[in-house]
Amino acid sequence: MRTSVLSAFQIAVTLALTAWMITGFTRLPGRWMRWKMFCRATFSIITLTGTKDGRTEPVNVYDHLSPGSFILGLPQLQAIVDYLVRSGRYDRIDGHGRVLSASGEQRVEVTGSRVVL
Amino acid sequence: MWFFDSLASGFDHPTDPGRLQLFRIVFGAVVALRFALSLGQGGWSRFAPDSLSTHLAEQRLGPTRARWLAAAYRPALLVRIAAALALATGLAPRLALVVVLGGAAMELLYLKSPNAVRYTLLTGTCLLLAGDLGTGLRIDHDPSNANTWAKCLLVLVTTDIYWNSAWQKLRSPQFRSGLYLARWIHVYGTVRARLPYRRQYAVPGLVLRHAGNLTDRDVRLCA
């Protein structure tokens, strides 16, 4: 009896796992069981300048990315710019560059610490 | 074949439990190495006051939870290394595995693309469901039902990674056209001098200069 209950539990969990895996082959929303390595990325090549008390200096945005990645999307770029301004390191940040994403290549501007496509 | 025999019998099928015990040892050793390496490249100083990582954690989790994470972070880094070593060497392996999974799950709170973490959590959970993890470095080969289910789950999870990854790549115009690779090489070549840990991208200069035929034009191909 105990063995059959255990077996039924194991079969139920296995079926649930299989169903979860099948969702990874559909367009249903979800993050797990979708192994999208090397499938899509937004790359940014960007040159920034920080201004503090009237003096300007180059800002290397790539210094602030996680080790192991130079893939940089626009929300992440905006978050880094916001942090650098909010922490008082710069009064404002400006710059320009290119974004390579699923929608092609686009020019991007950073004007007064705002990232604008 | 043992996998289909196990499925057909509702996992009531004796198999060699040693395979899974060996997997436990290898899993523990690899995770211990990974956890130890995560102390480097700024890992130990993550969530320092006023750092970008703290700012991002506050944005994502709210100030209170970000403060908890920052307080627990360094002790957790050390505890999870000890737990991974205990798992590999078979000292209270089940308890050690629970701590290892908790330590790995912590990374979901701050890593941007945590596929490796997800795979670690899935395979670790399969391991947790095994009936006989063994103790110490001893591997037991007497056939039993104890690890049959866990082995089947591990096979399922790992098979899914390969098939699903192939499926996602087939559906990705960026991958199919080679645009992803062309852009990766182009962006890497352009920003290389500005990367803080540039040696980790193991593309030798010789290969970059002579073996590739990707040009700047290739990053502008339509996906």
Side-chain angles (χ1 to χ4, degrees):
Chain A
M1 178 65 191
R2 208 176 143 220
T3 314
S4 64
V5 170
L6 179 67
S7 186
F9 170 74
Q10 290 174 336
I11 291 167
V13 172
T14 310
L15 287 175
L17 177 70
T18 311
W20 191 20
M21 286 173 174
I22 289 169
T23 65
F25 290 88
T26 67
R27 291 177 193 277
L28 290 169
R31 288 184 181 177
W32 286 67
M33 298 298 179
R34 285 142 181 92
W35 306 100
K36 296 183 178 175
M37 294 82 86
F38 313 113
C39 284
R40 57 179 185 182
T42 302
F43 299 95
S44 302
I45 301 170
I46 191 130
T47 310
L48 298 177
T49 310
T51 307
K52 177 74 177 172
D53 300 328
R55 288 191 305 142
T56 61
E57 65 177 24
V59 176
N60 181 6
V61 69
Y62 303 98
D63 268 341
H64 302 282
L65 297 182
S66 302
S69 177
F70 53 83
I71 291 172
L72 171 65
L74 294 186
Q76 205 185 354
L77 173 63
Q78 183 67 66
I80 294 169
V81 168
D82 284 347
Y83 159 73
L84 291 172
V85 172
R86 211 170 294 171
S87 64
R89 206 175 302 181
Y90 300 105
D91 297 328
R92 60 178 286 162
I93 290 176
D94 300 274
H96 60 89
R98 291 181 290 142
V99 175
L100 305 165
S101 69
S103 35
E105 182 174 350
Q106 289 165 289
R107 190 174 163 77
V108 61
E109 297 278 346
V110 180
T111 312
S113 312
R114 301 301 315 162
V115 178
V116 187
L117 259 186
Chain B
M1 192 183 154
W2 70 268
F3 179 76
F4 295 108
D5 290 341
S6 303
L7 286 183
S9 63
F11 309 107
D12 189 16
H13 179 79
T15 54
D16 177 359
R19 299 276 178 89
L20 198 108
Q21 292 164 359
L22 182 63
F23 178 73
R24 184 214 82 213
I25 294 170
V26 174
F27 182 88
V30 170
V31 171
L33 184 66
R34 191 178 176 285
F35 285 174
L37 290 173
S38 73
L39 300 178
Q41 297 196 332
W44 182 248
S45 53
R46 182 179 275 120
F47 303 127
D50 301 326
S51 65
L52 175 62
S53 48
T54 305
H55 172 78
L56 293 176
E58 282 170 358
Q59 265 192 343
R60 191 168 171 184
L61 308 170
T64 312
R65 278 192 237 169
R67 223 172 15 251
W68 290 345
L69 176 61
Y73 177 68
R74 283 187 177 180
L77 288 187
L78 299 178
V79 168
R80 70 180 193 168
I81 293 175
L85 290 173
L87 178 66
T89 53
L91 290 168
R94 204 168 296 275
L95 176 66
L97 181 55
V98 171
V99 178
V100 162
L101 291 178
M106 180 175 77
E107 297 186 1
L108 292 175
L109 299 174
Y110 52 83
L111 286 190
K112 194 166 170 285
S113 177
N115 276 321
V117 184
R118 288 182 186 144
Y119 184 62
T120 306
L121 290 174
L122 286 169
T123 48
T125 305
C126 296
L127 204 50
L128 197 60
L129 296 171
D132 180 12
L133 288 175
T135 47
L137 296 174
R138 196 174 55 82
I139 291 173
D140 181 15
H141 290 293
D142 291 339
S144 78
N145 291 352
N147 292 344
T148 302
W149 183 41
K151 277 167 66 178
C152 287
L153 293 181
L154 274 169
V155 168
L156 272 178
V157 165
T158 307
T159 308
D160 178 64
I161 277 214
Y162 283 98
W163 282 103
N164 189 267
S165 173
W167 168 252
Q168 302 289 353
K169 285 174 172 62
L170 280 174
R171 280 184 52 201
S172 160
Q174 284 192 61
F175 181 87
R176 279 201 324 268
S177 63
L179 196 60
Y180 184 98
L181 179 65
R183 284 174 169 177
W184 197 97
I185 293 287
H186 171 73
V187 176
Y188 171 71
T190 311
V191 305
R192 184 168 37 161
R194 291 193 267 163
L195 298 179
Y197 302 102
R198 74 190 76 151
R199 268 180 302 177
Q200 68 191 320
Y201 303 104
V203 185
L206 200 68
V207 175
L208 274 181
R209 277 191 298 277
H210 300 292
N213 60 357
L214 290 170
T215 64
D216 288 356
R217 192 180 59 85
D218 293 311
V219 303
R220 298 191 179 96
L221 292 174
C222 288

